[in-house]
Amino acid sequence: MKQQIVGIAALLMGLFASAQTNPAITNWLVNTTGITGRHYVAGNSTPIVDAVLANVQTVQYNNTHVYVSATGIPAYITGPFQDGNPSLATAQNKIFKIPLNPVQGTGNVATTGGNIGVFINGVALFDYRDGVAYSATGTNGVCGGPGNPPCPGGPMATQAYNRDAIPAERAGFDCAKAHPAMGNYHHHQNPSAFNLDLVVTSNICDLYPSDGLYVINPNVHSPLLGFAYDGFPIYGAYGYANTDGTGGITRMKSSYQLKNQTSRPNGPSVGQTIGNQTFFNGYFREDYEYVAHPNDPTYLDIHNGRVCNTPEYPASLYPNGIYCYFATVDENHKSAYPYVVGPTFYGNITVSTVTTVPAGTTILATDTHSITDLSVRIAPNPASDYIAIQTQLSEVDMQIDLINELGQVVKSGKILQGSTLSIIQTDDVYAGIYFLRVSRGKQQSTFKVVIDR
């Protein structure tokens, strides 16, 4: 659907490395244009512009840490959250203190409810849970969350059976697969739009199109998306087949699988319904088991990561590699448990939030780029229904023109200030060879594209 195509916006969201060598310093999506957040309200597909700056505001660093100041509001449109969640994404205004050289920990530190990582746009990462759990004494079978009795030990306490937010709260996620908790907008899972999955499990993007943080591309190594609270990097769904950065591109696979079970010890039977809750297999985190694949490096470890080389951490600079988490998906690009990080960290928790940045830090310079500096990515090519044109974050509007072999402009679009992507719909264009012209003032670049039916 054409509305679904719109949700492809913000491909990779400015993940182009600068001259610095430590990605924990350089790979943040810094707001250099004044772009603000936007949100939908249910029943209105025209977004409301907010008076809150989006993405990261400043990056400062010293020899040991990087300090990232962010509102927690993305540039992509948030909402609506159609499960009765009354909250909107609101500014969090945090300063994250992240180590430049994280180290392996005990491996026994469990993820918890709430923030366990931060994406490159300053948006929070949560783990699998949503604060709801099974209650053997509850009248509706669950505790925690709106309308349910409290869980023993409080909302952050781990219970015997803890609900998986991904299937349970799908109706409340927006197009970007996220939602707020008391204003704290966050992702639990791979942060790409629902309508870009190979099998679409939510139609929210049809009426309320938005962007994710990136678009899955099976042909290239996924971008660096953020950092977990142990300081180690988080990547998207695809990586190198081999840990040393060789072997081609392949999907990184979770080593967790659903148990073959019909009952749960001291819990509800699989498929049992209590009140309005049906406890299917996969309703709880405890329905999964870890199965090691020691001879296949594309399967991740018990923390959902591996030690490896990546484009940002090449073997030339990191001969021993670095531990990386991956946002796992299945063969249909549907999010796969444990989704990003967990259920335990590889390292100890070393990321914190602070109220001030210490004296002596260096402010990361934000360069302005000319068109000759820009990496322009075009996908798909050959194209059929649409072409997505992605650049680095643009500080001014950029013109996009689709030109036929006679030199006639047949389609046009723009990459708006503070955005990275334009969609040119081609379902009503004849098949053939065309040229895409990307212009900023007098600066231009032209690319050959093929439209094929």
Side-chain angles (χ1 to χ4, degrees):
M1 297 178 63
K2 290 184 179 180
Q3 289 171 319
Q4 291 179 331
I5 293 170
V6 179
I8 198 170
L11 249 162
L12 305 182
M13 291 295 293
L15 297 173
F16 298 83
S18 74
Q20 303 286 341
T21 59
N22 194 316
I25 296 173
T26 61
N27 276 64
W28 298 96
L29 185 55
V30 180
N31 186 340
T32 60
T33 67
I35 188 172
T36 63
R38 294 165 293 164
H39 73 275
Y40 290 116
V41 295
N44 185 356
S45 59
T46 299
I48 297 170
V49 178
D50 301 314
V52 178
L53 290 174
N55 300 329
V56 170
Q57 278 65 66
T58 60
V59 177
Q60 298 168 257
Y61 61 97
N62 54 27
N63 291 333
T64 60
H65 291 86
V66 59
Y67 297 84
V68 179
S69 301
T71 59
I73 300 297
Y76 42 88
I77 308 169
T78 64
F81 315 106
Q82 301 194 102
D83 60 348
N85 185 347
S87 184
L88 297 174
T90 57
Q92 302 300 298
N93 298 323
K94 293 181 181 292
I95 303 174
F96 298 94
K97 178 184 177 183
I98 301 171
L100 296 181
N101 297 293
V103 296
Q104 182 179 3
T106 63
N108 296 320
V109 179
T111 60
T112 61
N115 295 44
I116 65 163
V118 56
F119 289 106
I120 60 162
N121 59 352
V123 170
L125 167 68
F126 281 25
D127 74 357
Y128 67 89
R129 81 192 75 204
D130 64 357
V132 176
Y134 173 70
S135 172
T137 59
T139 57
N140 64 353
V142 296
C143 64
N148 300 319
C151 289
M156 294 295 104
T158 300
Q159 309 297 323
Y161 291 96
N162 299 273
R163 191 168 77 171
D164 187 331
I166 308 311
E169 296 192 329
R170 184 173 295 127
F173 294 132
D174 61 14
C175 182
K177 298 180 184 170
H179 63 179
M182 295 178 289
N184 185 11
Y185 185 78
H186 60 275
H187 295 273
H188 292 268
Q189 58 185 312
N190 180 60
S192 61
F194 270 117
N195 58 355
L196 301 180
D197 294 343
L198 299 181
V199 173
V200 178
T201 57
S202 171
N203 63 359
I204 184 70
C205 302
D206 291 356
L207 293 178
Y208 308 104
S210 183
D211 321 319
L213 185 57
Y214 83 119
V215 173
I216 294 175
N217 184 345
N219 300 313
V220 299
H221 195 292
S222 292
L224 194 161
L225 299 180
F227 294 85
Y229 267 19
D230 58 3
F232 287 101
I234 297 168
Y235 280 86
Y238 280 75
Y240 296 126
N242 299 320
T243 57
D244 64 357
T246 65
I249 303 299
T250 189
R251 179 171 57 89
M252 296 291 101
K253 306 174 188 68
S254 169
S255 289
Y256 287 84
Q257 64 184 35
L258 284 173
K259 298 175 182 176
N260 184 12
Q261 59 179 3
T262 57
S263 63
R264 300 179 177 97
N266 301 312
S269 299
V270 174
Q272 181 180 354
T273 298
I274 302 176
N276 62 353
Q277 306 290 327
T278 298
F279 302 112
F280 54 84
N281 201 17
Y283 189 92
F284 300 111
R285 170 263 177 274
E286 291 75 19
D287 292 342
Y288 290 91
E289 60 184 353
Y290 175 74
V291 178
H293 297 78
N295 298 319
D296 188 342
T298 67
Y299 279 90
L300 304 175
D301 67 11
I302 200 167
H303 315 291
N304 213 42
R306 66 179 190 175
V307 176
C308 61
N309 290 115
T310 70
E312 290 77 15
Y313 297 91
S316 58
L317 296 177
Y318 298 84
N320 296 320
I322 189 170
Y323 189 85
C324 301
Y325 298 100
F326 289 84
T328 41
V329 300
D330 66 13
E331 62 275 9
N332 295 317
H333 292 173
K334 178 182 176 182
S335 300
Y337 178 86
Y339 308 115
V340 186
V341 176
T344 54
F345 289 101
Y346 174 79
N348 296 323
I349 296 176
T350 53
V351 174
S352 61
T353 57
V354 296
T355 56
T356 59
V357 177
T361 59
T362 300
I363 298 176
L364 179 67
T366 52
D367 299 324
T368 56
H369 302 274
S370 69
I371 194 74
T372 56
D373 296 326
L374 292 176
S375 296
V376 178
R377 302 184 183 185
I378 299 169
N381 190 14
S384 177
D385 295 331
Y386 69 92
I387 301 172
I389 305 96
Q390 189 230 342
T391 69
Q392 293 170 312
L393 191 69
S394 179
E395 72 277 7
V396 296
D397 287 355
M398 299 174 62
Q399 180 70 26
I400 309 295
D401 294 309
L402 182 66
I403 303 169
N404 64 19
E405 291 184 291
L406 299 177
Q408 300 166 321
V409 176
V410 296
K411 288 276 185 174
S412 294
K414 288 184 181 293
I415 298 178
L416 298 176
Q417 181 186 42
S419 185
T420 66
L421 183 134
S422 178
I423 302 295
I424 301 291
Q425 294 179 353
T426 57
D427 52 356
D428 57 351
V429 174
Y430 291 114
I433 296 174
Y434 291 81
F435 299 92
L436 267 174
R437 183 174 62 204
V438 182
S439 307
R440 177 165 51 193
K442 296 180 180 180
Q443 299 171 317
Q444 297 181 352
S445 287
T446 303
F447 306 88
K448 179 181 176 180
V449 296
V450 176
I451 297 177
D452 188 9
R453 302 287 179 234

